[in-house]
Amino acid sequence: MAQQRTAFRQAITISIPAIVCLWAMALVCLCHTAFAAEQPGRDATSRAANGFAPLGLQQVKVGGEIGRRIDVTIDNNLMKIDVDKDFLEPFVQKDHSSGFVGVGMLIDAAAGLAAYSKDPLVIARKEHLIDTLLANQEEDGYIGMMKPEARIWALWDIHEMAYIIQGLVRDYRLFGNERSLLAARKVANCIIDRWTAEPDRKPGGGDITVFMAVTGIEPAMLMLYAETGCPRYLTFCTQFRKLGEWKPDIIIGRWGPVGGHAYAHCSRTIAQLWLDAVLPDRTLLNSSRDVMDFLLKSNGIAITGACGYRECWHDTQDGTAHLGETCATAYLLRLWNELLLGEGSSLYGDLMERAIYNALFSAQSRDGRKIRYYVPTEGPRVYFPRDSYCCPNNYRRVVSLLPRYVYYTTADGVAVNLYTPSTAELKLPDGIALTLRQETEYPSDGKVTIHVTPSEPCKFAVRLRIPRWTTDATIAVNGEKLDQPCTAGSFVTVSRSWKEGDRIELDLPMSWRWIRGRRAQAGRVALMRGPIVFCLNRASHDELKDVDLRELVVVPETLEGPVADDSVRPGGLACKLRAWGPEQWYPHSKPAVELTLTESVDPGSEQTWFKIANPREEYLVDDELINIPVDRN
């Protein structure tokens, strides 16, 4: 099959006008297994020799806070929402002139969560969603909620359909449902037929940039191409949508046609990475490099790992109400995963854990039922009042992917990217079965024990991510400390002959870090421990009811902790310190206010950045995730 794909790729590059001659070869590609993108070593995005390949959802079981979030998303969100009224009814009535529901996103999430949990009730909910949509598919392939005269061209209609394609293809990949793939192809053909017949017409009427109006369409077509080998879907991306020619600028702010929409930008950037896997062209990596440069070197990333303001790129470091759209956080995680697959750099794992524990999980209530559109670091946070629309659905989708972000296979073994109680079962390149089991209280504690159990003794490599925030990390195997450097900001490789009963003991010391603010936060500090950002909840402090929290001046030397705090998550932490109140003269007066800082997932968080008497103190450090050179090779 690899030889067939190579020949097919070469044929495309030789003569696009002769594309019709490739239909016979496309039929050969139809035998491509339905589970390709969910199986180890088979992702189209494993582009480099040093890249990683993810495990399938069925191969990993996750505990800890990551596992708990997956579970509550299934039990208290997916299984509690009214799918008939809020999601399916518009697709039965078909009487809208505009709007977006996100039913395809919901199918995508339901398929992933059903495959992971293997719960018959979750599978049944997924099947009900698909049954209803397919029963209402038009003869021309259309699945949507628009009245006939508004179809295709109404704002968000192609966007909605693109994610219906993605959801149906993921169902096919995970469950082998041929009807889902057939329906997805009909939807795609409907879009291609209608849009290419009027190539100058702009979906959405031109009020916003086209790539935002049709977010998700190129990934949808490339997913179909990966499953069918049908050149029509690839040609739509390369010739009609000119995906390979897209060279976007990072547009800051929300203005004009909203060209700086962050999650739409990331979606198309990911599509370029996928296209590079099919038609290799190193220039297709430039967009992802530009995003990384903006995030890490141009103040584009917030302390929580989020980005954007009012959905669009921003670089002021302002943390108020509309910071950190949940869709953007979900797509940053997707992008970092793609780059990790291609490059094998620990940087992307560092970014992923920062965003997961602070931005992503802060978007959800502790019980899992409510989801936020934005996650600010300053001022009150609010929950989105609906279960439909983009942010709740993109949250569910990326949560369904979290099990695939923990472990990866490599050319010579396995890599551990995220630390959390978990078990993975996989096959090594030589076919030997391997079970990995993590025991840890991470992110509350940096001690991790990994039990390594091959089906028979064999030699392979285990790569362990050493986060940039730690110092003096150590690794021991079976109680014996290894005499090799554990450089922060790298994957350390432990290569040896492994046998049943072997264990790796990883110690990642977690010290408190006072992070120096920049731009809008200049002169302020944020407190971190490990990957966790700490914050202030006004409601926990009666004396702060009417105080402007920005005027508090913290005294870092008074920091005490960590102490156990289950109020925001099981096994969570808090700390205490003192601060001068707004009316106090400092430093000679005694700090009058005692503060308790909790983890950033605290639903009542209102303040993350604090004034400090001397912002040049030697114990302040820059955020370890900024000013990192981006590899452009």
Side-chain angles (χ1 to χ4, degrees):
M1 182 60 69
Q3 292 176 341
Q4 293 165 347
R5 288 179 179 169
T6 300
F8 187 50
R9 180 186 302 154
Q10 291 172 343
I12 290 176
T13 60
I14 291 170
S15 177
I16 291 295
I19 200 87
V20 292
C21 297
L22 298 173
W23 280 98
M25 192 170 289
L27 293 176
V28 175
C29 293
L30 286 172
C31 68
H32 170 56
T33 174
F35 302 95
E38 297 290 336
Q39 294 301 309
R42 299 293 297 277
D43 264 21
T45 48
S46 295
R47 294 175 295 277
N50 63 337
F52 294 179
L55 304 186
L57 287 172
Q58 300 90 341
Q59 296 175 275
V60 184
K61 190 64 179 177
V62 186
E65 182 63 2
I66 295 177
R68 190 188 75 81
R69 290 287 178 171
I70 297 170
D71 292 343
V72 298
T73 300
I74 295 172
D75 297 337
N76 296 339
N77 194 281
L78 176 62
M79 300 305 295
K80 295 291 178 66
I81 60 180
D82 190 338
V83 298
D84 290 306
K85 180 177 183 298
D86 294 335
F87 287 89
L88 293 172
E89 187 176 283
F91 294 84
V92 175
Q93 295 179 344
K94 300 188 179 84
D95 59 358
H96 286 62
S97 298
S98 64
F100 182 79
V101 170
V103 70
M105 294 176 170
L106 182 62
I107 290 172
D108 188 314
L113 294 170
Y116 171 77
S117 68
K118 305 180 183 67
D119 186 328
L121 294 177
V122 182
I123 295 172
R125 170 143 290 201
K126 181 263 298 182
E127 289 294 304
H128 175 62
L129 285 163
I130 294 173
D131 286 344
T132 304
L133 279 191
L134 269 54
N136 288 277
Q137 187 169 27
E138 301 284 344
E139 288 187 9
D140 65 356
Y142 179 80
I143 299 180
M145 61 182 185
M146 303 300 171
K147 58 183 66 174
E149 61 271 22
R151 290 174 185 173
I152 302 296
W153 308 113
L155 183 59
W156 308 132
D157 199 30
I158 290 179
H159 179 38
E160 184 86 58
M161 296 167 74
Y163 282 98
I164 290 173
I165 294 170
Q166 292 191 39
L168 292 173
V169 172
R170 194 172 189 213
D171 178 58
Y172 171 68
R173 287 175 170 175
L174 291 167
F175 291 92
N177 290 332
E178 294 283 349
R179 63 175 188 147
S180 291
L181 182 63
L182 179 60
R185 296 191 68 174
K186 288 180 178 179
V187 176
N189 292 336
C190 174
I191 294 171
I192 293 172
D193 290 343
R194 291 286 302 277
W195 196 356
T196 57
E198 300 181 71
D200 296 327
R201 193 170 177 183
K202 295 182 177 180
D207 289 337
I208 61 175
T209 186
V210 172
F211 83 81
M212 177 184 171
V214 301
T215 300
I217 190 61
E218 290 93 359
M221 295 296 180
L222 290 172
M223 289 172 71
L224 274 176
Y225 173 71
E227 297 309 318
T228 68
C230 177
R232 189 179 202 211
Y233 308 125
L234 180 63
T235 303
F236 175 82
C237 293
T238 58
Q239 299 299 302
F240 185 75
R241 292 294 297 134
K242 300 186 183 305
L243 178 61
E245 301 173 27
W246 187 59
K247 297 178 175 59
D249 294 324
I250 299 290
I251 298 173
I252 296 173
R254 187 181 183 94
W255 50 275
V258 199
H261 192 269
Y263 119 66
H265 189 125
C266 286
S267 174
R268 209 162 197 229
T269 295
I270 291 169
Q272 285 193 323
L273 295 177
W274 289 0
L275 183 59
D276 175 58
V278 180
L279 301 173
D281 178 355
R282 302 303 291 178
T283 65
L284 291 169
L285 308 183
N286 288 340
S287 178
S288 63
R289 303 298 185 260
D290 290 344
V291 169
M292 292 304 299
D293 272 336
F294 175 72
L295 293 174
L296 305 186
K297 297 167 66 176
S298 299
N299 295 298
I301 193 168
I303 187 72
T304 54
C307 75
Y309 194 85
R310 288 191 179 271
E311 304 179 342
C312 296
W313 300 120
H314 101 308
D315 62 354
T316 69
Q317 293 294 302
D318 179 17
T320 51
H322 300 100
L323 173 76
E325 183 200 16
T326 298
C327 286
T329 298
Y331 265 84
L332 284 182
L333 288 168
R334 288 173 171 269
L335 176 60
W336 293 330
N337 175 64
E338 294 297 331
L339 294 171
L340 178 57
L341 290 171
E343 300 173 21
S345 170
S346 68
L347 169 63
Y348 305 115
D350 291 350
L351 289 161
M352 291 164 79
E353 72 169 7
R354 173 81 68 91
I356 288 169
Y357 286 118
N358 297 287
L360 185 69
F361 290 165
S362 292
Q364 185 182 46
S365 60
R366 174 175 165 147
D367 66 0
R369 183 62 188 90
K370 295 178 286 188
I371 298 172
R372 305 183 197 277
Y373 204 101
Y374 298 108
V375 182
T377 56
E378 300 176 77
R381 298 171 177 175
V382 298
Y383 291 107
F384 191 58
R386 295 157 56 183
D387 289 319
S388 60
Y389 216 58
C390 56
C391 283
N393 284 304
N394 270 324
Y395 181 91
R396 299 177 189 110
R397 291 175 73 219
V398 80
V399 164
S400 79
L401 292 173
L402 292 181
R404 303 189 78 206
Y405 296 166
V406 180
Y407 301 95
Y408 298 79
T409 58
T410 66
D412 58 356
V414 64
V416 184
N417 181 48
L418 298 179
Y419 299 113
T420 183
S422 56
T423 301
E425 297 181 351
L426 59 137
K427 294 282 189 180
L428 294 169
D430 58 6
I432 291 176
L434 172 64
T435 299
L436 296 177
R437 180 169 60 86
Q438 284 191 57
E439 294 179 343
T440 182
E441 295 182 7
Y442 199 94
S444 297
D445 187 275
K447 297 182 184 299
V448 183
T449 298
I450 303 172
H451 297 274
V452 182
T453 309
S455 57
E456 60 183 81
C458 62
K459 184 175 181 178
F460 57 91
V462 179
R463 286 175 169 80
L464 305 170
R465 182 177 58 85
I466 310 300
R468 279 168 170 75
W469 47 257
T470 194
T471 57
D472 300 322
T474 61
I475 298 174
V477 176
N478 299 331
E480 183 177 344
K481 183 177 177 181
L482 298 187
D483 184 19
Q484 68 181 82
C486 293
T487 306
S490 71
F491 275 101
V492 171
T493 300
V494 183
S495 183
R496 56 177 284 150
S497 181
W498 301 91
K499 64 183 185 306
E500 183 177 357
D502 284 345
R503 71 185 188 280
I504 301 170
E505 294 163 323
L506 175 64
D507 188 4
L508 304 171
M510 291 182 172
S511 58
W512 293 102
R513 312 191 303 285
W514 288 101
I515 307 297
R516 186 180 290 108
R518 56 195 195 276
R519 305 212 72 175
Q521 308 303 341
R524 297 176 182 272
V525 294
L527 181 63
M528 294 192 69
R529 182 179 181 274
I532 301 296
V533 179
F534 284 76
C535 64
L536 177 63
N537 181 341
R538 183 196 301 270
S540 301
H541 301 78
D542 292 339
E543 68 276 24
L544 301 181
K545 179 180 178 181
D546 299 316
V547 172
D548 183 347
L549 300 182
R550 296 171 300 175
E551 292 302 313
L552 294 173
V553 180
V554 298
V555 186
E557 297 85 350
T558 64
L559 179 64
E560 298 178 5
V563 296
D565 180 9
D566 290 336
S567 66
V568 297
R569 68 169 177 92
L573 299 175
C575 64
K576 296 182 181 297
L577 74 161
R578 301 195 69 84
W580 288 291
E583 303 302 323
Q584 282 193 279
W585 285 94
Y586 55 85
H588 301 296
S589 60
K590 181 179 179 180
V593 184
E594 182 175 291
L595 304 178
T596 297
L597 301 188
T598 49
E599 297 180 4
S600 61
V601 292
D602 189 334
S605 168
E606 287 194 42
Q607 196 67 23
T608 303
W609 292 99
F610 300 92
K611 284 186 176 180
I612 186 173
N614 182 1
R616 295 178 177 83
E617 285 283 7
E618 64 279 0
Y619 50 73
L620 303 185
V621 298
D622 290 332
D623 187 339
E624 68 272 6
L625 295 182
I626 65 168
N627 296 322
I628 298 174
V630 175
D631 183 6
R632 288 187 171 269
N633 294 325

